[in-house]
Amino acid sequence: MNAAMKLEPADKVILELNVRNHPGVMTHVCGLFARRAFNVEGILCMPVGDGTESRIWLLVREDERLSQMIAQVEKLEDVISVIRHGASHLVFDRLEEFFA
Amino acid sequence: MQISGAQLIVRLLEQQGITTVAGIPGGAALPLYDALAGSTKIHHVLARHEQGAGFIAQGMARVSGRAGVCISSSGPGATNLVTPIADAKLDSIPLVCITGQVPSSMIGTDAFQEVDTYGISIPVTKHNWLVHSVEELLHVIPEAFRIAESGRPGPVWVDIPKDVQTAMIEIDELPAPGKRDEPSAVNMTQIQQAAAMINAAERPVLYIGGGVIAAEAAAQTMMLAEQGGLPTTMTLMALGAMPVDHPLSVGMLGMHAARYTNYVLEEADLLIVVGARFDDRAIGKAEKFCPNASVIHIDVDAAELGKIRRPHIGIQADVATALAALLPHIQVKLRENWLERVRLLKAQFPMQMLDSEDPRSHYGLVLAVAEALDDEAVIATDVGQHQMWVAQAYPLRRARQWLTSGGLGTMGFGMPAAIGAALAEPERTVVCFSGDGSLKMNIQEMATAVEEDVNIKVVLMNNQSLGLVHQQQNMFYGERYYASDYRKRTDFVKIAEGFGMHTFDLDKAADPRAMLAQALATKGPCLIHCSIDVNQKVLPMVPPGAANTEMIGD
């Protein structure tokens, strides 16, 4: 994540992961991207509902390897679902004021 | 009833049908070992190094198809298990690895023998847990077996702090044991499309991998080949799924395939890939592999479809379920022209086995062992030249007959894996072909073999060298041999005797075939030693990074 690498909308993909909420799940998800040399530009995570599940938002770059990356994420036992959004999703845009 | 966490683990393992576990105790695992001592159903095999325990568990899993269990303490016990667990991950072998951990209150304090087992095990497992409470065990242990054996099998790791093992829990009955998930239904539209492609193909080739073994689908795969008239190639992991002397078998593909095998693939117009993953050692340079072929890819792991090669039809399904659906749609074909072409290529470019008549040569020894045994024997290998010679020459004819470290290529795999196989199937003769480099990497397990009196025959092909390194330095590094030859000779016969094994030295035999037969017929653990010329090579060979058709040697 750095300003020089700010993504153009065409390159932006936003992934919404619903996961089981426990101390290891962030390591599982982030480690998987790191091991496959796939950069994660932005990351957000909060518990949802009664706290047994969390939602992880990832901002990643469109890349020919992305579908393989998503297929690997879907294999993680603690990942319940993966939804792929385009650049028009506002979750990271709304956060920009905190990173100004 | 009120029982401890450790007792609960043992009850859950018993209920899972586990009768043998391999491991080494230590401080953080002592409550678990104390509970194991109370079990009348579970036999604990004391390995001499945790890596040995992991490979013993793998040997049990590879011959049975059921999850093997290994146990160790925290810290170095856990780190020593990383290699066999990573090996199981790459070869999709179901394992449940249980490690003790320092007490919960001391986690994160750099306590004695504390290591971040959970963090270390993430990249090498299918799934892992750090158990936070005794109650969690009720869910985690059955779940560990379910995950290890479901879908694409693999290793799971359960790290259990000492206080969780000693904590008491009140339970009325045990939770249900973990069971393999039922395979989901297959997409019949895709199956029909695949059948149409197979029926219409002129020069189809069936390319099968370890997934066929994992899915217990060898018989169905053979039916597919026979019904469709499909020449069939096997990866290293699939050897045994179809007898190598089956008329439709074209043997192992890839880096050390016979020339004709890679040439047959080159001419294919359709590739039917079943339970295989386009590994680089199997396909060579990906862009040049089967350049004219359409691809049907069937695999239980959706992430394998399109990972290396984009299939025309990618079917995510349990291989056995998919083949059962596919078979009724496959027309019986004789494919006389294509099979005649395959026969011609095989006659022109067959596997050449130098000195195969001499039982003290590299290929000759492999063939002499095979002649002395039947298909009931289990054949394990270590990693290196001997492994490839056995893969090329041994007439494997049965699924789960062949145990080898394919993906990770771990030297030291062979002997402990053979011990595990012999423990799981004591009625069989288990042969472990090894090299002097590999054998030294887990030689301490000779003690385990003797203690358990397992029926293993270690056939040591001793060239006093790291043979495959020596070969590559010869072929690709200007004959600059560096760090590949052992300057001092090791007396392996004396070492094996020291551990209490039977020993036979073919170097000193007047009649090596007679000695070999006697050795293989001797019950119990046994070393069969034979010196091999260091200049013998594994050929043909596709240079790393080259296309499969660019083979060196005949």
Side-chain angles (χ1 to χ4, degrees):
Chain A
M1 277 191 283
N2 68 54
M5 292 177 64
K6 196 165 163 58
L7 290 176
E8 295 302 319
D11 294 333
K12 256 192 210 176
V13 176
I14 289 157
L15 301 178
E16 177 186 354
L17 278 60
N18 288 301
V19 301
R20 291 200 194 97
N21 181 18
H22 70 85
V25 68
M26 283 289 280
T27 325
H28 270 270
V29 171
C30 296
L32 184 60
F33 280 84
R35 279 201 297 286
R36 291 177 177 259
F38 201 105
N39 200 29
V40 176
E41 307 286 339
I43 184 161
L44 267 175
C45 180
M46 291 283 277
V48 291
D50 64 359
T52 57
E53 290 182 15
S54 291
R55 187 162 302 143
I56 301 176
W57 293 94
L58 299 175
L59 174 60
V60 296
R61 188 179 287 270
E62 178 63 276
D63 183 315
E64 59 184 16
R65 299 172 303 148
L66 185 58
S67 59
Q68 171 63 206
M69 206 54 243
I70 292 172
Q72 295 292 347
V73 173
E74 285 173 333
K75 277 164 63 171
L76 294 176
E77 286 294 329
D78 289 329
V79 172
I80 299 156
S81 66
V82 182
I83 303 164
R84 182 182 167 142
H85 301 280
S88 58
H89 200 282
L90 293 175
V91 60
F92 284 98
D93 293 346
R94 289 185 189 169
L95 277 174
E96 275 186 5
E97 62 178 286
F98 296 99
F99 292 87
Chain B
M1 63 185 160
Q2 216 189 25
I3 58 173
S4 70
Q7 287 169 322
L8 178 59
I9 297 164
V10 172
R11 294 274 178 88
L12 290 168
L13 291 177
E14 288 174 348
Q15 180 189 240
Q16 208 64 52
I18 298 301
T19 53
T20 309
V21 298
I24 301 185
L30 279 174
L32 176 57
Y33 271 81
D34 197 38
L36 270 174
S39 172
T40 52
K41 294 180 181 155
I42 298 177
H43 170 56
H44 177 269
V45 174
L46 179 61
R48 295 329 196 241
H49 186 291
E50 288 84 357
Q51 190 181 118
F55 284 130
I56 289 171
Q58 271 214 40
M60 297 192 284
R62 285 182 188 244
V63 295
S64 70
R66 306 299 309 277
V69 177
C70 55
I71 301 175
S72 85
S73 190
S74 62
T79 56
N80 282 343
L81 277 170
V82 170
T83 297
I85 301 305
D87 188 280
K89 177 86 185 320
L90 280 167
D91 285 350
S92 305
I93 304 300
L95 282 190
V96 173
C97 169
I98 298 174
T99 49
Q101 180 57 281
V102 302
S104 307
S105 60
M106 293 175 77
I107 288 179
T109 67
D110 302 319
F112 177 65
Q113 294 193 331
E114 180 189 359
V115 75
D116 175 14
T117 303
Y118 181 84
I120 288 172
S121 55
I122 290 173
V124 296
T125 54
K126 191 173 172 189
H127 195 55
N128 63 346
W129 296 265
L130 170 59
V131 181
H132 298 94
S133 69
V134 64
E135 290 77 20
E136 275 183 32
L137 290 169
L138 294 168
H139 169 72
V140 169
I141 302 291
E143 190 68 353
F145 282 90
R146 182 188 70 79
I147 293 172
E149 292 182 357
S150 294
R152 180 178 184 167
V156 299
W157 197 317
V158 188
D159 194 33
I160 309 175
K162 196 173 184 179
D163 57 303
V164 173
Q165 298 170 43
T166 53
M168 300 303 286
I169 184 170
E170 178 70 40
I171 51 165
D172 298 327
E173 58 183 69
L174 293 175
K179 280 214 297 269
R180 181 172 178 252
D181 291 338
E182 287 301 318
S184 44
V186 196
N187 179 330
M188 282 313 292
T189 313
Q190 284 188 314
I191 290 288
Q192 273 153 6
Q193 285 169 345
M197 279 178 83
I198 295 169
N199 293 338
E202 296 280 326
R203 297 180 307 281
V205 174
L206 180 58
Y207 154 24
I208 64 175
V212 166
I213 311 274
E216 309 289 355
Q220 283 167 304
T221 305
M222 212 128 69
M223 278 171 71
L224 173 65
E226 287 168 358
Q227 208 165 309
L230 308 173
T232 302
T233 186
M234 289 169 270
T235 67
L236 181 69
M237 290 301 297
L239 292 178
M242 173 185 265
V244 283
D245 34 16
H246 189 285
L248 286 166
S249 167
V250 294
M252 179 175 74
L253 78 163
M255 182 174 267
H256 296 298
R259 280 189 169 260
Y260 83 91
T261 311
N262 287 337
Y263 291 151
V264 166
L265 281 157
E266 178 77 4
E267 293 187 14
D269 68 349
L270 175 66
L271 203 56
I272 306 131
V273 188
V274 182
R277 59 181 175 90
F278 292 93
D279 175 70
D280 55 279
R281 287 296 191 265
I283 69 163
K285 194 177 175 70
E287 306 79 66
K288 293 192 172 169
F289 178 65
C290 298
N292 305 314
S294 304
V295 173
I296 298 168
H297 193 175
I298 304 175
D299 202 284
V300 72
D301 181 355
E304 288 301 341
L305 307 176
K307 186 182 80 175
I308 305 290
R309 175 86 168 244
R310 174 73 38 205
H312 296 78
I313 301 176
I315 301 176
Q316 187 270 313
D318 168 65
V319 163
T321 311
L323 292 181
L326 184 62
L327 279 168
H329 304 281
I330 300 298
Q331 292 165 6
V332 175
K333 296 259 183 186
L334 297 178
R335 291 196 205 277
E336 284 169 4
N337 292 342
W338 175 224
L339 292 178
E340 183 52 36
R341 174 71 186 150
V342 171
R343 273 190 291 274
L344 187 74
L345 286 168
K346 184 172 182 176
Q348 264 184 305
F349 307 102
M351 176 58 76
Q352 309 265 14
M353 291 192 238
L354 214 63
D355 302 327
S356 59
E357 293 304 307
D358 176 3
R360 284 186 284 214
S361 77
H362 49 314
Y363 287 118
L365 178 53
V366 175
L367 292 169
V369 170
E371 276 165 29
L373 295 168
D374 61 24
D375 297 343
E376 295 306 308
V378 171
I379 307 302
T381 73
D382 259 305
V383 168
Q385 286 185 311
H386 70 275
Q387 176 190 29
M388 291 299 116
W389 288 325
V390 180
Q392 290 175 331
Y394 200 98
L396 296 160
R397 299 194 181 95
R398 179 172 66 79
R400 301 199 180 280
Q401 182 185 12
W402 168 244
L403 319 180
T404 203
S405 168
L408 196 66
T410 312
M411 294 170 68
F413 167 92
M415 188 168 52
I419 294 171
L423 287 163
E425 301 195 331
E427 71 285 2
R428 295 188 193 277
T429 299
V430 181
V431 174
C432 167
F433 285 96
S434 189
D436 52 318
S438 284
L439 189 59
K440 279 178 180 161
M441 292 210 182
N442 270 320
I443 199 160
Q444 75 289 342
E445 298 311 320
M446 283 183 173
T448 313
V450 169
E451 194 162 276
E452 296 294 325
D453 195 27
V454 285
N455 195 25
I456 68 164
K457 316 295 158 204
V458 179
V459 179
L460 173 57
M461 303 173 87
N462 182 3
N463 60 5
Q464 214 178 318
S465 165
L466 292 162
L468 217 42
V469 175
H470 184 101
Q471 170 171 339
Q472 293 215 29
Q473 289 175 340
N474 174 283
M475 293 169 75
F476 309 122
Y477 293 87
E479 300 182 38
R480 291 182 299 279
Y481 303 113
Y482 187 76
S484 55
D485 292 325
Y486 297 114
R487 294 194 299 272
K488 300 274 185 184
R489 199 166 175 84
T490 301
D491 189 340
F492 285 96
V493 172
K494 205 176 264 179
I495 286 178
E497 274 169 12
F499 278 111
M501 288 175 81
H502 304 286
T503 57
F504 297 86
D505 193 348
L506 298 187
D507 292 357
K508 295 177 179 153
D511 181 347
R513 283 183 198 276
M515 182 186 272
L516 196 55
Q518 188 200 345
L520 292 169
T522 305
K523 286 278 169 206
C526 159
L527 177 81
I528 301 164
H529 177 267
C530 186
S531 294
I532 295 291
D533 177 2
V534 70
N535 295 309
Q536 294 300 344
K537 294 187 177 58
V538 183
L539 294 172
M541 178 170 189
V542 177
N548 271 355
T549 47
E550 298 167 30
M551 289 165 278
I552 299 172
D554 296 321

